[in-house]
Amino acid sequence: MLKAIWMSDPHFAHEGDIMGHDPRVRLQAAIDHINQHHHDARFCVISGDMVNRGSEADYEALSKLLNQLVIPVLPMVGNHDDRLIFRSKIPVPDLCMENFIQFSVSTPEGWVLCLDTQKHGSDAGEFCAQRRAWLRRALTDAGSTPVYIFLHHPPMPLGLPMQDSENMENGEAFLDMLSEFECVKYLFIGHVHRAITGTVKGIPFSTMRSILYQAPAPRPDWNWETFKPAEEASSLGVLTIVNEAVNLQFEQICKFEHGVRPAI
Ligand SMILES: [Fe+2]
C-alpha cells in the first residue's frame, strides 16, 4: 500500500500577496493539515510552481517552512521556478538528474516519477530529448512494475480559457511515448490550479487545485486581463494506491477566506 500527499502550485513568496492571497498563510495551513491528519503518508509531492518569482529569499523561506513537515517532500519544478536557485536551496532525492529536477522514487506499489517540464523563460512547458531519454530508460527498466507519473505542465488541451497555450509543447509526442508502455498507470498534473480528471490516450489523469489560488471554471469565459481567482477553497490530494487501484481524495485545507484580503 502507498499513501502519499499531493499538493500543487503553492506559488510561495517570502513577503507580499499573490492575487490577493497570502502564500505563507496558505502553505502553513497545508502543512498543519498534513502534520495533523496525514503524518502516516510516505511523502508529499509538490507538483511545481514552488515559488511565484524565484528569488533566493523566497526559496530560503520556503525551505524553512517545508522543514516543519513531518513527512519527506518530493519537490518539483514549474514555470514560475528558477531551477538553479531551487536546486541550491531545496533538497532533492538522490536519483535526480544532474541538469533537471527530474527523479524517480521507489515505493511498495511501483515507481513514482517526478518529471521536469520547465522551458526556460516560458510559461509553456517542454520535454526535451535529454529528459525524454531519461524517461524512456526509466519506463523500460520498470518492465511490468507500475509507474505513476507527476508533471507540472499538461501534455494535452484541457479546455480551460487562456491556459491551453501554456501546456507542454510537443505533448502529443510525449503521450505517444507513454502509450508504448503498459507500466504507465496514471498522470498527476499541476499548473492549471483546478481539479480535472479524465483519460488521455487511455491513460487516467488528474489535475490538482493550487494551495494558493484557484482558476475559475471555463464558463463564464475569462481571459488574463479580467482574471480573478475563483472563490473556491484550496485543496490537496490524499492518494492511496493498493495493487494498482488508485484512490485520490481532494481535501480542503482551510476556508476560502483564510489568508485572502477583503478586497477580493
Ligand atoms: Fe504553472
Side-chain angles (χ1 to χ4, degrees), residues 9 11 49 78-80 152-153 191 193:
D9 295 80
H11 286 251
D49 286 353
N79 48 304
H80 281 260
H152 186 71
H153 292 84
H191 192 52
H193 296 222

Side-chain angles (χ1 to χ4, degrees), residues 153-166:
H153 292 84
M156 69 296 201
L158 288 166
L160 291 169
M162 309 304 293
Q163 293 188 316
D164 283 341
S165 60
E166 296 178 0

